[in-house]
Amino acid sequence: MDALKPKVLIARRAPAAVVEKLSAHFDVDAVQGDGVLTPDELLARLQGKAGAYITGTERITGELLDACPELRAVCTMSVGYNHIDLAACTARRVLVTNTPDVLTETTADFGFALLMATARRMSEGERLLRDGGWKSWSWDFLAGSDVYSSTLGILGMGRIGQAIARRGRFGFGMKVVYHNRSRLPAEAEAELGARYLTKEELLRQADHLVLVLPYSAQSHHCIAAAEIALMKPTATLINVARGGIVDEDALAAALREQRIAAAGLDVFEGEPRVNPALLTLPNVVLTPHIASATMPTRLAMAGLAADNLVAALTGATPPTSLNPEVLPL
Ligand code: 8YV
């Protein structure tokens, strides 16, 4: 304990280097173990804290902020910040940071890997082999869909979307089409060879549709029954963004009736719970929210979140603030 140092909470088990770095500046209360604090536990642990080092599992609401008036900075080790009420933070002069850029390429690698695994039925094939179901060969045995030279659709053309587009265009000769809230500048479209479409046209044209858009009230269930109905029966749907973007019941029904060919999902509406309807389907590849999970990337994310917190509470400019209008302490 150091009465002079500001107090901060590390809300999840973090790399030793992060605890060390933060301990050099702050009086650190570090949660041990991998359990997630309940909202009440989080509120209790945040009492008297000036800073919170969190991940995507801790919800920061206006109500919580009102109950933690000393809180000045919330730094999340994630690029997504749908778990933080940014407007409520800004209104209360609480600085908020996230961890963009450092995970872009790693997440794009995984998005593409999930696309490949889904289109080429890799999980289905492995399950069949392990279960002793590989007895012979037939011309259409586990025949999937082509990735090379097909049409890659990207919904949400931010940093990660563009990194996936590059993989598709330059690595696999794919035609890239996209939809985004705002259209990319002409030079960026030319560099990626990407064509802007309406959301409806994107759904109609994509052979493989990758979801990489931020989650918000506006994007909640933006892929539901009506949208899936526009997709090709041979199409695959890949989600590496947030589970709530897809209506999972509608998706499960479409996969069951083979109205689309397959889906690859790294994110789910009720994580870590997975909709039971998805678990029984052969034509869906399911992974436990690991798109950014390489050791170098996770360490980079953790380090950036720590740098942000140090800056926010020591009067420096945090590298990746989400509300730069809130000045550091
Ligand atoms: C993280 C993510 O694994 O950065 C994000 O937004 O979804 C993932 O990279 C997770 O949210 C950890 O906080």
Side-chain angles (χ1 to χ4, degrees):
M1 283 276 278
D2 185 334
L4 299 174
K5 287 181 175 173
K7 293 183 173 49
V8 302
L9 174 70
I10 303 179
R12 299 290 302 263
R13 184 172 62 84
V18 164
V19 181
E20 226 169 85
K21 182 181 284 182
L22 294 181
S23 299
H25 297 270
F26 309 121
D27 177 357
V28 172
D29 173 14
V31 169
Q32 308 296 327
D34 288 319
V36 181
L37 295 179
T38 65
D40 285 346
E41 286 168 345
L42 181 63
L43 192 153
R45 289 288 279 262
L46 279 174
Q47 292 311 303
K49 305 287 179 1
Y53 178 103
I54 63 166
T55 68
T57 44
E58 287 71 49
R59 280 182 55 73
I60 305 294
T61 61
E63 208 184 353
L64 177 92
L65 297 174
D66 289 339
C68 307
E70 285 162 77
L71 195 62
R72 303 275 35 104
V74 171
C75 300
T76 184
M77 178 193 153
S78 61
V79 65
Y81 52 91
N82 53 288
H83 53 297
I84 301 171
D85 185 337
L86 183 59
C89 288
T90 305
R92 290 162 182 80
R93 317 301 299 158
V94 175
L95 202 152
V96 182
T97 66
N98 67 338
T99 58
D101 303 317
V102 289
L103 48 51
T104 299
E105 299 301 331
T106 294
T107 304
D109 277 354
F110 189 89
F112 217 87
L114 193 54
L115 189 165
M116 298 284 286
T118 304
R120 299 303 306 273
R121 304 174 64 176
M122 289 175 78
S123 298
E124 207 181 336
E126 196 196 358
R127 271 196 304 274
L128 178 136
L129 181 151
R130 284 180 188 267
D131 294 346
W134 186 21
K135 305 287 186 207
S136 67
W137 181 93
S138 58
W139 73 270
D140 56 353
F141 179 52
L142 286 169
S145 49
D146 271 323
V147 174
Y148 171 74
S149 181
S150 63
T151 298
L152 172 62
I154 299 184
L155 186 56
M157 197 61 137
R159 288 169 288 242
I160 299 170
Q162 292 178 39
I164 292 175
R166 277 186 204 99
R167 281 157 179 74
R169 174 160 193 226
F170 301 116
F172 292 83
M174 296 171 92
K175 189 168 125 194
V176 178
V177 289
Y178 79 100
H179 180 75
N180 198 44
R181 269 175 309 186
S182 46
R183 191 172 168 171
L184 295 183
E187 316 79 70
E189 284 190 356
E191 185 237 309
L192 297 167
R195 200 152 59 83
Y196 180 83
L197 297 176
T198 62
K199 184 179 159 194
E200 288 68 29
E201 252 331 286
L202 179 76
L203 291 160
R204 283 193 191 97
Q205 290 192 22
D207 292 314
H208 306 286
L209 179 66
V210 185
L211 308 178
V212 222
L213 65 166
Y215 182 55
S216 65
Q218 291 70 45
S219 63
H220 178 74
H221 283 193
C222 85
I223 299 293
E227 288 74 23
I228 295 169
L230 296 177
M231 295 176 69
K232 298 179 183 179
T234 50
T236 66
L237 177 70
I238 309 300
N239 189 3
V240 288
R242 286 291 181 268
I245 289 169
V246 175
D247 178 340
E248 287 176 352
D249 289 328
L251 176 62
L255 289 167
R256 193 177 314 108
E257 293 155 22
Q258 296 182 355
R259 283 187 272 117
I260 63 170
L265 307 174
D266 185 51
V267 287
F268 303 90
E269 286 200 77
E271 289 175 20
R273 194 192 76 93
V274 177
N275 187 326
L278 293 170
L279 289 170
T280 58
L281 293 166
N283 51 345
V284 55
V285 180
L286 305 167
T287 52
H289 200 149
I290 52 171
S292 69
T294 66
M295 198 54 94
T297 291
R298 284 287 166 82
L299 288 173
M301 293 165 70
L304 177 54
D307 290 344
N308 274 317
L309 186 51
V310 171
L313 297 181
T314 59
T317 303
T320 51
S321 177
L322 287 165
N323 53 1
E325 64 271 41
V326 178
L327 298 177
L329 272 194

